[in-house]
Amino acid sequence: MAFKTTRPLRFGDCDPSGIAYFPSYMNILVGVLEDYFASLGFPWKALFNDRRIGVPTVRLDVTFVRPGFQGDELEFVLAVRGVGRSSLDLEHQVSANGQVLWTARHRVVSTSLDTHQSLAWPDDIRAALTHHLETTDAHHPAT
C-alpha cells in the first residue's frame, strides 16, 4: 500500500518567476521519506542515534513532466517496489492540481553509521517495509 502525504510549495522553494527549483524538490522528497519511515514506527532520530542505521540514497532517477508553482499543494505518493538485503526500491509520483509534475525511481540502502558499510535491514524494519511492498506488477520478483 502506498504512502501518501502533501507538502506546500513555498516561496523559498521557487525561483523569482514562481517556478519550483528542482533542488528544493529533492529536499522536500527527503522529508517525505523521513515521514514514511516514521509512519512505520522508525523515526530517523531513533534509527540514527539509537540503532546507528543510515538510509542514504544511492540511486535517484527523476523525470520532470511539468513545472510546479509557488503555492501549489504537492501530493506525494510513495510506493515500495522492492526490498533487498540492504536496499529499498521506491517509486514516487508528485502531483499538484490533479496533474503529475514529476516521478522518480529511488533506491536507498541501509548502512551502519559506524562502519559506513551496507547493513542488512533488521527484521522489524524489513517486516514493515515488506508489508508495504506493491505486488501489482506480475513480473516483479517479489510476487
Side-chain angles (χ1 to χ4, degrees), residues 135-141 143:
T135 58
T136 56
D137 181 353
H139 300 290
H140 192 286
T143 59

Side-chain angles (χ1 to χ4, degrees), residues 54-67:
V55 288
T57 294
V58 297
R59 185 180 319 144
L60 184 61
D61 179 17
V62 181
T63 301
F64 296 101
V65 179
R66 61 181 41 88

Side-chain angles (χ1 to χ4, degrees), residues 39-101:
S39 78
L40 297 177
F42 307 106
W44 279 6
K45 183 175 182 178
L47 281 180
F48 297 168
N49 295 344
D50 302 336
R51 297 177 77 167
R52 305 294 297 149
I53 297 171
V55 288
T57 294
V58 297
R59 185 180 319 144
L60 184 61
D61 179 17
V62 181
T63 301
F64 296 101
V65 179
R66 61 181 41 88
F69 297 95
Q70 179 187 343
D72 281 349
E73 188 72 14
L74 302 177
E75 301 158 1
F76 284 80
V77 178
L78 178 157
V80 175
R81 293 297 180 191
V83 181
R85 183 190 78 81
S86 62
S87 65
L88 174 63
D89 289 331
L90 306 166
E91 286 185 359
H92 305 278
Q93 180 176 293
V94 182
S95 303
N97 304 310
Q99 295 188 314
V100 174
L101 303 181

Side-chain angles (χ1 to χ4, degrees), residues 5-50:
T5 190
T6 60
R7 294 286 189 286
L9 193 56
R10 300 184 185 279
F11 173 80
D13 298 323
C14 299
D15 67 18
S17 69
I19 296 174
Y21 285 123
F22 78 89
S24 294
Y25 278 147
M26 300 308 101
N27 186 47
I28 297 167
L29 182 65
V30 170
V32 168
L33 185 60
E34 184 175 354
D35 289 350
Y36 171 66
F37 271 84
S39 78
L40 297 177
F42 307 106
W44 279 6
K45 183 175 182 178
L47 281 180
F48 297 168
N49 295 344
D50 302 336

